[in-house]
Short mmCIF file of all heavy atoms in Angstrom, two decimals:
data_model
loop_
_atom_site.label_atom_id
_atom_site.label_comp_id
_atom_site.label_asym_id
_atom_site.label_seq_id
_atom_site.Cartn_x
_atom_site.Cartn_y
_atom_site.Cartn_z
N MET A 116 69.21 33.15 -15.94
CA MET A 116 68.93 34.24 -15.00
C MET A 116 68.83 35.58 -15.71
O MET A 116 69.15 35.71 -16.89
CB MET A 116 69.95 34.27 -13.88
CG MET A 116 71.37 34.51 -14.29
SD MET A 116 72.42 34.62 -12.81
CE MET A 116 72.68 36.38 -12.77
N ASP A 117 68.36 36.61 -14.97
CA ASP A 117 68.24 37.96 -15.52
C ASP A 117 69.55 38.71 -15.33
O ASP A 117 70.37 38.35 -14.49
CB ASP A 117 67.15 38.73 -14.77
CG ASP A 117 65.77 38.19 -15.06
OD1 ASP A 117 65.67 37.26 -15.87
OD2 ASP A 117 64.82 38.71 -14.46
N ALA A 118 69.68 39.79 -16.07
CA ALA A 118 70.90 40.57 -16.02
C ALA A 118 70.92 41.50 -14.81
O ALA A 118 71.96 42.08 -14.48
CB ALA A 118 71.04 41.39 -17.29
N ASP A 119 69.78 41.66 -14.15
CA ASP A 119 69.69 42.74 -13.16
C ASP A 119 70.01 42.30 -11.73
O ASP A 119 69.80 43.05 -10.79
CB ASP A 119 68.30 43.35 -13.20
CG ASP A 119 67.21 42.31 -13.03
OD1 ASP A 119 67.54 41.17 -12.65
OD2 ASP A 119 66.04 42.62 -13.30
N LEU A 120 70.51 41.06 -11.57
CA LEU A 120 70.90 40.53 -10.26
C LEU A 120 69.76 40.52 -9.26
O LEU A 120 69.97 40.57 -8.06
CB LEU A 120 72.09 41.31 -9.68
CG LEU A 120 73.38 41.21 -10.52
CD1 LEU A 120 74.45 42.11 -9.93
CD2 LEU A 120 73.90 39.78 -10.55
N GLN A 121 68.50 40.45 -9.76
CA GLN A 121 67.38 40.32 -8.83
C GLN A 121 67.39 38.94 -8.20
O GLN A 121 66.85 38.75 -7.12
CB GLN A 121 66.06 40.53 -9.58
CG GLN A 121 65.71 41.98 -9.78
CD GLN A 121 64.29 42.12 -10.29
OE1 GLN A 121 63.99 41.75 -11.41
NE2 GLN A 121 63.42 42.63 -9.45
N ASP A 122 67.98 38.02 -8.93
CA ASP A 122 68.07 36.65 -8.43
C ASP A 122 69.50 36.43 -7.98
O ASP A 122 70.41 36.42 -8.80
CB ASP A 122 67.71 35.68 -9.55
CG ASP A 122 66.44 36.12 -10.27
OD1 ASP A 122 65.45 36.39 -9.57
OD2 ASP A 122 66.45 36.21 -11.50
N PRO A 123 69.75 36.28 -6.67
CA PRO A 123 71.12 36.25 -6.17
C PRO A 123 71.90 35.05 -6.69
O PRO A 123 71.40 33.92 -6.72
CB PRO A 123 70.95 36.16 -4.65
CG PRO A 123 69.50 36.18 -4.37
CD PRO A 123 68.73 36.15 -5.63
N LEU A 124 73.14 35.31 -7.08
CA LEU A 124 73.99 34.26 -7.63
C LEU A 124 74.27 33.16 -6.61
O LEU A 124 74.48 32.00 -6.97
CB LEU A 124 75.31 34.87 -8.09
CG LEU A 124 75.23 35.60 -9.44
CD1 LEU A 124 76.36 36.59 -9.59
CD2 LEU A 124 75.27 34.58 -10.57
N SER A 125 74.28 33.52 -5.31
CA SER A 125 74.61 32.51 -4.30
C SER A 125 73.61 31.36 -4.30
O SER A 125 73.94 30.23 -3.91
CB SER A 125 74.66 33.17 -2.93
OG SER A 125 73.44 33.83 -2.69
N VAL A 126 72.38 31.63 -4.76
CA VAL A 126 71.35 30.59 -4.81
C VAL A 126 71.79 29.44 -5.73
O VAL A 126 71.39 28.29 -5.55
CB VAL A 126 70.00 31.19 -5.29
CG1 VAL A 126 68.94 30.13 -5.42
CG2 VAL A 126 69.55 32.27 -4.34
N ILE A 127 72.65 29.78 -6.71
CA ILE A 127 73.08 28.76 -7.67
C ILE A 127 73.80 27.61 -6.97
O ILE A 127 73.68 26.45 -7.38
CB ILE A 127 73.95 29.39 -8.79
CG1 ILE A 127 73.10 30.41 -9.55
CG2 ILE A 127 74.50 28.34 -9.73
CD1 ILE A 127 73.85 31.16 -10.63
N HIS A 128 74.51 27.92 -5.88
CA HIS A 128 75.18 26.84 -5.14
C HIS A 128 74.16 25.84 -4.61
O HIS A 128 74.35 24.63 -4.70
CB HIS A 128 76.00 27.41 -3.98
CG HIS A 128 77.25 28.12 -4.43
ND1 HIS A 128 78.27 27.46 -5.06
CD2 HIS A 128 77.62 29.41 -4.35
CE1 HIS A 128 79.24 28.32 -5.35
NE2 HIS A 128 78.87 29.52 -4.93
N GLN A 129 73.06 26.35 -4.06
CA GLN A 129 72.00 25.44 -3.58
C GLN A 129 71.42 24.66 -4.75
O GLN A 129 71.08 23.48 -4.61
CB GLN A 129 70.88 26.23 -2.93
CG GLN A 129 71.29 27.02 -1.70
CD GLN A 129 70.14 27.93 -1.27
OE1 GLN A 129 68.99 27.50 -1.24
NE2 GLN A 129 70.44 29.16 -0.94
N MET A 130 71.28 25.34 -5.90
CA MET A 130 70.71 24.65 -7.06
C MET A 130 71.62 23.50 -7.49
O MET A 130 71.15 22.41 -7.81
CB MET A 130 70.55 25.63 -8.22
CG MET A 130 69.46 26.66 -7.98
SD MET A 130 69.30 27.75 -9.41
CE MET A 130 67.74 28.55 -9.03
N ILE A 131 72.93 23.76 -7.48
CA ILE A 131 73.87 22.70 -7.87
C ILE A 131 73.77 21.54 -6.88
O ILE A 131 73.81 20.37 -7.26
CB ILE A 131 75.30 23.25 -7.95
CG1 ILE A 131 75.40 24.27 -9.08
CG2 ILE A 131 76.30 22.12 -8.17
CD1 ILE A 131 76.74 24.95 -9.21
N GLY A 132 73.58 21.87 -5.60
CA GLY A 132 73.42 20.82 -4.59
C GLY A 132 72.25 19.91 -4.95
O GLY A 132 72.37 18.68 -4.91
N ARG A 133 71.13 20.51 -5.32
CA ARG A 133 69.95 19.73 -5.70
C ARG A 133 70.20 18.94 -6.99
O ARG A 133 69.75 17.80 -7.13
CB ARG A 133 68.74 20.66 -5.91
CG ARG A 133 68.24 21.27 -4.64
CD ARG A 133 67.84 20.19 -3.68
NE ARG A 133 66.89 20.66 -2.70
CZ ARG A 133 66.28 19.87 -1.83
NH1 ARG A 133 66.53 18.58 -1.84
NH2 ARG A 133 65.43 20.35 -0.96
N TYR A 134 70.91 19.58 -7.92
CA TYR A 134 71.26 18.91 -9.18
C TYR A 134 72.06 17.65 -8.87
O TYR A 134 71.83 16.59 -9.45
CB TYR A 134 72.07 19.88 -10.04
CG TYR A 134 72.80 19.26 -11.22
CD1 TYR A 134 72.16 19.07 -12.44
CD2 TYR A 134 74.13 18.86 -11.10
CE1 TYR A 134 72.83 18.51 -13.52
CE2 TYR A 134 74.81 18.30 -12.17
CZ TYR A 134 74.15 18.12 -13.37
OH TYR A 134 74.83 17.55 -14.43
N ARG A 135 72.99 17.75 -7.92
CA ARG A 135 73.82 16.60 -7.59
C ARG A 135 73.02 15.49 -6.93
O ARG A 135 73.37 14.32 -7.02
CB ARG A 135 74.99 17.04 -6.70
CG ARG A 135 75.94 17.95 -7.46
CD ARG A 135 77.09 18.36 -6.61
NE ARG A 135 77.82 17.21 -6.10
CZ ARG A 135 78.88 17.30 -5.30
NH1 ARG A 135 79.32 18.48 -4.94
NH2 ARG A 135 79.48 16.21 -4.88
N GLU A 136 71.91 15.88 -6.26
CA GLU A 136 71.04 14.84 -5.69
C GLU A 136 70.30 14.08 -6.80
O GLU A 136 69.76 13.01 -6.56
CB GLU A 136 69.98 15.47 -4.78
CG GLU A 136 70.51 15.92 -3.44
CD GLU A 136 69.47 16.73 -2.69
OE1 GLU A 136 68.25 16.51 -2.89
OE2 GLU A 136 69.87 17.60 -1.90
N GLY A 137 70.24 14.67 -7.99
CA GLY A 137 69.60 13.98 -9.10
C GLY A 137 68.44 14.73 -9.73
O GLY A 137 67.84 14.25 -10.68
N TYR A 138 68.12 15.90 -9.22
CA TYR A 138 67.03 16.67 -9.83
C TYR A 138 67.49 17.27 -11.15
O TYR A 138 68.64 17.71 -11.28
CB TYR A 138 66.56 17.78 -8.90
CG TYR A 138 65.79 17.24 -7.72
CD1 TYR A 138 66.42 17.06 -6.49
CD2 TYR A 138 64.46 16.88 -7.86
CE1 TYR A 138 65.73 16.53 -5.42
CE2 TYR A 138 63.76 16.35 -6.78
CZ TYR A 138 64.40 16.18 -5.57
OH TYR A 138 63.71 15.65 -4.52
N ASP A 139 66.60 17.29 -12.14
CA ASP A 139 66.95 17.85 -13.45
C ASP A 139 66.54 19.30 -13.60
O ASP A 139 67.05 20.02 -14.45
CB ASP A 139 66.29 17.03 -14.56
CG ASP A 139 66.98 15.70 -14.75
OD1 ASP A 139 67.99 15.67 -15.47
OD2 ASP A 139 66.53 14.71 -14.14
N VAL A 140 65.56 19.70 -12.80
CA VAL A 140 65.11 21.09 -12.85
C VAL A 140 65.07 21.62 -11.43
O VAL A 140 64.41 21.04 -10.58
CB VAL A 140 63.69 21.20 -13.45
CG1 VAL A 140 63.25 22.65 -13.51
CG2 VAL A 140 63.65 20.56 -14.83
N VAL A 141 65.83 22.67 -11.17
CA VAL A 141 65.78 23.29 -9.85
C VAL A 141 65.38 24.74 -10.08
O VAL A 141 66.15 25.53 -10.62
CB VAL A 141 67.14 23.24 -9.14
CG1 VAL A 141 66.97 23.68 -7.70
CG2 VAL A 141 67.74 21.85 -9.22
N TYR A 142 64.14 25.06 -9.73
CA TYR A 142 63.68 26.42 -10.01
C TYR A 142 63.70 27.28 -8.76
O TYR A 142 63.48 26.80 -7.65
CB TYR A 142 62.30 26.43 -10.65
CG TYR A 142 61.24 25.66 -9.90
CD1 TYR A 142 60.51 26.26 -8.89
CD2 TYR A 142 60.99 24.33 -10.20
CE1 TYR A 142 59.55 25.55 -8.18
CE2 TYR A 142 60.04 23.61 -9.51
CZ TYR A 142 59.32 24.22 -8.51
OH TYR A 142 58.38 23.54 -7.81
N GLY A 143 63.99 28.55 -8.96
CA GLY A 143 63.99 29.49 -7.85
C GLY A 143 62.57 29.92 -7.55
O GLY A 143 61.84 30.32 -8.44
N GLN A 144 62.18 29.79 -6.30
CA GLN A 144 60.84 30.20 -5.92
C GLN A 144 60.96 31.40 -4.99
O GLN A 144 61.68 31.34 -4.00
CB GLN A 144 60.13 29.05 -5.22
CG GLN A 144 58.64 29.25 -5.10
CD GLN A 144 57.94 27.95 -4.78
OE1 GLN A 144 58.45 27.15 -4.00
NE2 GLN A 144 56.78 27.73 -5.35
N ARG A 145 60.25 32.47 -5.32
CA ARG A 145 60.44 33.71 -4.55
C ARG A 145 59.63 33.69 -3.27
O ARG A 145 58.41 33.49 -3.30
CB ARG A 145 59.99 34.90 -5.40
CG ARG A 145 60.79 35.02 -6.66
CD ARG A 145 59.92 35.50 -7.78
NE ARG A 145 60.69 35.50 -9.04
CZ ARG A 145 60.14 35.80 -10.21
NH1 ARG A 145 58.88 36.11 -10.29
NH2 ARG A 145 60.87 35.77 -11.30
N ILE A 146 60.31 33.90 -2.16
CA ILE A 146 59.60 34.04 -0.89
C ILE A 146 59.06 35.45 -0.83
O ILE A 146 57.95 35.71 -0.39
CB ILE A 146 60.55 33.83 0.31
CG1 ILE A 146 61.32 32.54 0.15
CG2 ILE A 146 59.78 33.89 1.61
CD1 ILE A 146 62.40 32.37 1.19
N SER A 147 59.86 36.40 -1.28
CA SER A 147 59.44 37.79 -1.24
C SER A 147 60.04 38.50 -2.43
O SER A 147 60.96 38.01 -3.06
CB SER A 147 59.96 38.44 0.03
OG SER A 147 61.37 38.50 -0.04
N ARG A 148 59.48 39.65 -2.75
CA ARG A 148 60.01 40.44 -3.85
C ARG A 148 60.29 41.83 -3.31
O ARG A 148 59.41 42.68 -3.27
CB ARG A 148 58.97 40.55 -4.95
CG ARG A 148 58.59 39.24 -5.57
CD ARG A 148 57.36 39.44 -6.43
NE ARG A 148 57.35 38.45 -7.49
CZ ARG A 148 57.60 38.73 -8.76
NH1 ARG A 148 57.86 39.97 -9.14
NH2 ARG A 148 57.59 37.80 -9.66
#
Side-chain angles (χ1 to χ4, degrees):
M116 62 176 255
D117 291 357
D119 54 13
L120 297 175
Q121 278 190 291
D122 313 310
L124 282 159
S125 55
V126 177
I127 297 177
H128 287 295
Q129 298 171 44
M130 291 181 167
I131 294 176
R133 291 301 203 173
Y134 166 86
R135 293 181 57 181
E136 285 171 29
Y138 289 98
D139 286 276
V140 180
V141 190
Y142 53 87
Q144 195 164 38
R145 299 145 185 175
I146 309 172
S147 67
R148 297 168 153 252

